[in-house]
Amino acid sequence: MIEIKGLSKSFAYDKKEAKKKKNKAATDPREGEGVFHAVRDVSFQCGKGKVLGLLGPNGAGKTTTLRMLSTALEPTSGEILINGHDVTKELRYAQKLIGFLSGKTGLYHRLTVRENVEYFGRMHGLSKQLMDERIDKIFSMLDMHTFAGKRADDLSTGMMQRASIARAVIHDPKVLVFDEPTTGLDVISAKTVLDFIESYKETEMSVIFSTHHLHEVERLCDEVCLIDLGETKFYGSTQNFASQTPSGNLYDAFLANVNNKEKEVA
Ligand SMILES: Nc1ncnc2c1ncn2[C@@H]1O[C@H](COP(=O)(O)OP(=O)(O)OP(=O)(O)O)[C@@H](O)[C@H]1O
């Protein structure tokens, strides 16, 4: 179980940005004195065996939120608890339990896919036997055996993404945090990734992933957290989210919950 309570993250403006903002009235509620409040108040939780979809228009604060969950960024305020343990205070404990997939693959281009995954497995202290078992299982789930010996810089986008996922889950994390895992993938690779996430529903894991694709939410998510301008605007079951509008569809519910004038959704 992962709980996020009143999370916020502010970034100091660089000199150029600070100069631009000086003496100008703020047009965005996230603009503060010398800082930009990218995430202002985000709260949700994701129980064992549940999948939560993190939604929001471009720039809403999804990636920043997920980076905090992954421990890559330290929150300005708020709490992230895994099984009651505070992630910021028990970093090692949290890093063992979290598997993070970000937009950047983080693979070593000169190493083969298998070498890459083994490297991250060793960093997590996996024994050779456990590593081989895990690799065999994950590579089968993600249909990776055919390109396990290829160097990372020879991979297609879809292969690269699957290798990055294998890398993120080699240590058998209990909480998966995936940032837009299907962005840029063709239909077949996207299906492999979605099937993989779906398979986790049968386990005790919690999965949180951000997406702009509402059909993915419909298929996979038990719960939805929609953020806009850095704040949680809706958190609850996917069913309750959809039933907020007369049409009962996720697309209309999304539009009804965002203030952002552009109301972008892919
Ligand atoms: N390191 C940083 N310094 C300053 N501002 C930042 C930083 N990281 C993010 N931001 C700003 O915070 C806001 C939220 O960004 P974030 O990447 O979290 O949005 P997002 O919801 O993931 O967007 P998208 O759907 O386009 O990926 C944006 O306005 C972004 O420019």
Side-chain angles (χ1 to χ4, degrees):
M1 152 79 87
I2 178 161
E3 297 167 87
I4 286 88
K5 299 181 185 173
L7 207 58
S8 82
K9 180 70 192 177
S10 304
F11 295 108
Y13 287 129
D14 58 27
K15 272 190 186 156
K16 204 170 139 199
E17 198 65 23
K19 207 172 165 191
K20 261 201 316 202
K21 303 278 176 199
K22 213 174 171 193
N23 303 325
K24 265 198 179 164
T27 52
D28 183 322
R30 295 170 296 176
E31 290 175 10
E33 196 70 42
V35 289
F36 183 74
H37 305 293
V39 172
R40 298 187 294 159
D41 185 8
V42 168
S43 300
F44 59 84
Q45 56 186 51
C46 184
K48 286 183 182 171
K50 300 284 181 203
V51 179
L52 178 137
L54 188 62
L55 305 180
N58 288 129
K62 301 179 294 298
T63 296
T64 308
T65 299
L66 296 183
R67 285 192 181 140
M68 288 189 275
L69 302 196
S70 76
T71 75
L73 269 183
E74 198 177 337
T76 302
S77 64
E79 275 184 319
I80 304 167
L81 305 172
I82 298 184
N83 300 333
H85 296 256
D86 189 326
V87 162
T88 55
K89 293 191 184 119
E90 297 179 61
L91 216 55
R92 295 293 300 154
Y93 172 84
Q95 284 165 349
K96 270 201 163 128
L97 294 186
I98 294 173
F100 181 50
L101 175 83
S102 71
K104 298 268 174 281
T105 62
L107 295 176
Y108 290 98
H109 288 251
R110 298 279 175 97
L111 299 184
T112 67
V113 169
R114 190 181 175 101
E115 285 166 348
N116 262 288
V117 177
E118 282 177 347
Y119 173 72
F120 286 97
R122 276 197 298 276
M123 286 216 312
H124 283 289
L126 263 60
S127 68
K128 169 95 179 78
Q129 192 194 342
L130 189 56
M131 180 105 77
D132 288 345
E133 281 169 22
R134 291 281 306 151
I135 285 182
D136 197 40
K137 186 174 170 208
I138 296 163
F139 282 21
S140 296
M141 286 167 88
L142 289 167
D143 202 8
M144 287 174 60
H145 285 296
T146 51
F147 61 89
K150 270 196 171 197
R151 272 166 44 146
D153 56 5
D154 290 332
L155 301 178
S156 69
T157 309
M159 289 171 177
M160 186 91 87
Q161 186 69 330
R162 282 181 275 160
S164 300
I165 291 174
R167 186 216 111 153
V169 302
I170 185 64
H171 58 301
D172 199 13
K174 301 301 170 220
V175 179
L176 298 190
V177 178
F178 284 3
D179 193 6
E180 298 190 25
T182 60
T183 294
L185 302 189
D186 67 29
V187 172
I188 299 161
S189 296
K191 183 181 177 311
T192 308
V193 171
L194 296 176
D195 290 349
F196 182 79
I197 293 177
E198 191 161 43
S199 69
Y200 275 82
K201 286 187 88 141
E202 272 130 57
T203 67
E204 294 277 275
M205 315 231 179
S206 309
V207 184
I208 297 168
F209 76 103
S210 66
T211 181
H212 290 293
H213 303 302
L214 297 176
H215 64 91
E216 295 179 356
V217 175
E218 192 156 33
R219 174 176 162 192
L220 292 175
C221 297
D222 305 287
E223 293 188 310
V224 163
C225 176
L226 183 143
I227 60 178
D228 189 21
L229 298 170
E231 288 180 333
T232 298
K233 293 288 157 77
F234 176 90
Y235 163 60
S237 71
T238 308
Q239 206 177 357
N240 283 350
F241 182 61
S243 62
Q244 283 189 313
T245 61
S247 68
N249 76 48
L250 295 173
Y251 184 86
D252 288 339
F254 182 99
L255 292 176
N257 277 284
V258 297
N259 294 316
N260 195 320
K261 286 193 194 80
E262 291 163 6
K263 293 199 169 178
E264 286 186 64
V265 58

